[in-house]
Amino acid sequence: ASPPRPTPASRRVASPAAMSAAAAARTPVIVLPGSGCTPTRECNFYAWFSDALDATRYDARMTNMPDPHVCRERAWLPFIVDPSGPLRAGPGCVVVGHSSGAVAAMRLAERTKLKGIILVASYDSDLGDANERASGYFDRAFDYDAMRRNCDFVAAVGGARDALVDIDIQARIRLRHHTDWSPYDPVRVMLAFP
């Protein structure tokens, strides 16, 4: 039998005071979940991805997000960059966003210097969904030039079997970022970048 998965309560929580010297030397990777993914670690691929990153030269950071169902920009972006918060996005960080988290990562990259962003199942319209419209991310055009200026790299990861974000939409994001495309495997993408 396989060992039980760690629960959020048993998972190491990174804080500025508690980070070890080894973790501080590793590249921080912030994982931004999709809408409704709470508790974050128990949803989708997040636990697997975090564990895979922690076994490499990266320090995975993820937490339950405020406003996890609507993912409002006005709640998420200040939380993501808060220097005393659990994520602390800024220069030197890689942000991996999935679905709504990918949209947040793009808005973050418009105004924040980052090492890079990896967009998993990303989109740039409200997809005709009232909840997406309420998030505030789609009230203005995305500034792809600013994102590229603020990031050393931008990568897109997607899959044709995504039931929520059509592969053509995901591919459009890749083209707008002038980036490579990696189907399915965000860990392989992470290991390809310094």
Side-chain angles (χ1 to χ4, degrees):
S2 62
R5 263 182 37 194
T7 63
S10 68
R11 173 87 170 128
R12 173 184 54 88
V13 176
S15 70
M19 283 179 58
S20 70
R26 295 165 46 191
T27 300
V29 177
I30 297 166
V31 179
L32 301 179
S35 174
C37 293
T38 190
T40 301
R41 188 165 172 78
E42 295 178 15
C43 297
N44 288 312
F45 62 90
Y46 309 136
W48 166 83
F49 185 64
S50 175
D51 292 345
L53 289 177
D54 281 341
T56 67
R57 64 182 183 262
Y58 299 102
D59 177 33
R61 297 178 186 172
M62 87 171 75
T63 191
N64 294 330
M65 299 297 288
D67 191 24
H69 298 285
V70 179
C71 312
R72 287 177 185 87
E73 180 178 10
R74 69 177 182 262
W76 276 37
L77 294 191
F79 181 78
I80 294 166
V81 299
D82 181 353
S84 63
L87 300 177
R88 304 178 308 280
C93 291
V94 174
V95 176
V96 177
H98 170 237
S99 193
S100 295
V103 177
M106 290 193 299
R107 287 298 186 195
L108 179 67
E110 287 176 332
R111 62 189 198 197
T112 306
K113 284 295 239 185
L114 301 165
K115 183 174 182 89
I117 57 175
I118 298 176
L119 308 171
V120 182
S122 190
Y123 49 97
D124 59 1
S125 75
D126 65 25
L127 304 173
D129 183 87
N131 198 53
E132 293 291 343
R133 263 189 307 287
S135 72
Y137 293 113
F138 308 104
D139 296 344
R140 63 205 181 280
F142 284 85
D143 188 344
Y144 292 95
D145 291 333
M147 291 178 223
R148 285 189 297 275
R149 277 192 310 273
N150 283 332
C151 296
D152 294 342
F153 71 89
V154 177
V157 179
R161 294 187 299 168
D162 191 311
L164 299 174
V165 182
D166 187 88
I167 191 68
D168 292 336
I169 295 169
Q170 297 176 62
R172 180 179 72 220
I173 298 301
R174 178 195 66 86
L175 292 172
R176 289 185 175 163
H177 279 291
H178 311 290
T179 188
D180 291 330
W181 179 259
S182 179
Y184 315 122
D185 191 350
V187 171
R188 191 176 77 214
V189 171
M190 281 300 311
L191 296 176
F193 293 99

